[in-house]
Amino acid sequence: MRELRADARRNRERILRAAHLAFLDQGADAPLDQIATGAGVGNATLYRHFPDRADLIGAVVVDNMARVAALAAEVLAAEPSAGQALAAFAQRVVEHRIVAMLPILGAHVEQTAEFRRARAHLLAALHALVEAARAEGALRSDVSAADLVMFLTVLTRPLPSVSGDLDDAVRARLLATLLNGLRPGGATPLPGAPLDADLITAGLTTANRGPAAQADTRVPGP
C-alpha cells in the first residue's frame, strides 16, 4: 500500500510539472491529452487525480505558489547576503520558469481555503526576501514583492521566435538588466506606485465570475 501511495504521489507530481509547462506556453486551454503524454501517464491516471480542468488548474497554481515560497525561503537562508539571495531567487525563477502561473491562470482559479493559505505563505516568504534585501541596501525602496513577481513573470513567458541557446542568452541578458534596475544606486524613480498583491490577485481572478471563464471546465471522459 505504501508503494502504491508513493507511485500515485509521483504520478501526481509529474502531472503537475507537465501541466505547469503546458499552461505556461499555451494558456489555460492547453490540451489535457498533451499534458498526460508529457507526464508519462495515461489519460485515465490524469482524470483520476484531477477530474476536471478546474481541479488541475487550481492544483497547478497552488503547487506553483508553494514552490516559489520554498525557493524564496531557501535562498534567504543559504546565501551569504540578502542581495545575493534576491539575485539567486530571480535567476532560479527564470531558469525553472516557476513564477508565472497566477497571472496566466488567475481568471480560472477559485479562491479556495487551500489557495488562500498558499498565497499567504507565498506573500510572507516574498516580503521577507524583499525586506531583507531592502534593509541591506541591495534593493531600491520603490519596488514591492508584487513588483518583483510581475517583473519576473515577463521573463518566464515564451519569447517570440526565439529558441534553444538563443532563448537562454536573451533571458540571461534581460535578467541582468532587471537586476541592475532593481539596485538603488543611481536609479530613476519608477512611474506610479509599487504594485499591490491584493489588487493584482483580485484583478486576475475577477474574470472567474464571468461566463467565458466558466466555459470548458469539464474534462472529457477517458
Side-chain angles (χ1 to χ4, degrees):
M1 292 296 293
R2 282 194 296 271
E3 182 179 351
L4 288 174
R5 286 197 294 269
D7 183 60
R9 186 167 57 250
R10 286 193 296 271
N11 284 339
R12 187 178 190 275
E13 291 171 355
R14 291 190 189 106
I15 292 168
L16 288 174
R17 297 298 180 267
H20 172 101
L21 293 176
F23 290 146
L24 185 63
D25 290 335
Q26 302 177 52
D29 295 325
L32 298 175
D33 289 352
Q34 176 184 317
I35 292 172
T37 300
V41 302
N43 287 355
T45 299
L46 186 150
Y47 304 141
R48 191 159 53 245
H49 285 280
F50 305 103
D52 62 35
R53 184 180 293 271
D55 289 332
L56 179 57
I57 287 174
V60 167
V61 169
V62 168
D63 178 70
N64 179 254
M65 289 192 290
R67 292 174 67 193
V68 175
L71 176 60
E74 177 188 333
V75 295
L76 192 56
E79 295 294 330
S81 72
Q84 289 170 287
L86 182 66
F89 173 79
Q91 289 163 355
R92 288 169 64 179
V93 158
V94 172
E95 178 184 357
H96 298 292
R97 303 177 69 194
I98 63 171
V99 82
M101 287 297 100
L102 186 58
I104 295 170
L105 301 175
H108 305 268
V109 175
E110 291 288 346
Q111 293 195 37
T112 62
E114 184 182 23
F115 171 90
R116 291 192 293 271
R117 285 193 298 269
R119 181 180 177 276
H121 183 55
L122 170 63
L123 290 179
L126 289 175
H127 282 303
L129 176 61
V130 165
E131 289 303 319
R134 185 177 290 123
E136 191 181 84
L139 178 68
R140 52 192 296 164
S141 61
D142 56 350
V143 172
S144 66
D147 281 316
L148 178 63
V149 167
M150 295 304 287
F151 295 160
L152 292 173
T153 291
V154 175
L155 297 187
T156 58
R157 296 307 310 276
L159 298 177
S161 304
V162 175
S163 61
D165 293 340
L166 182 56
D167 180 284
D168 294 338
V170 171
R171 289 186 198 280
R173 289 178 63 82
L174 291 174
L175 178 59
T177 302
L178 171 62
L179 290 174
N180 284 334
L182 293 177
R183 297 188 182 101
T188 302
L190 297 176
L195 296 178
D196 181 274
D198 291 336
L199 292 178
I200 291 173
T201 300
L204 290 171
T205 57
T206 295
N208 196 39
R209 304 292 180 264
Q214 298 293 341
D216 190 29
T217 58
R218 298 302 302 177
V219 174

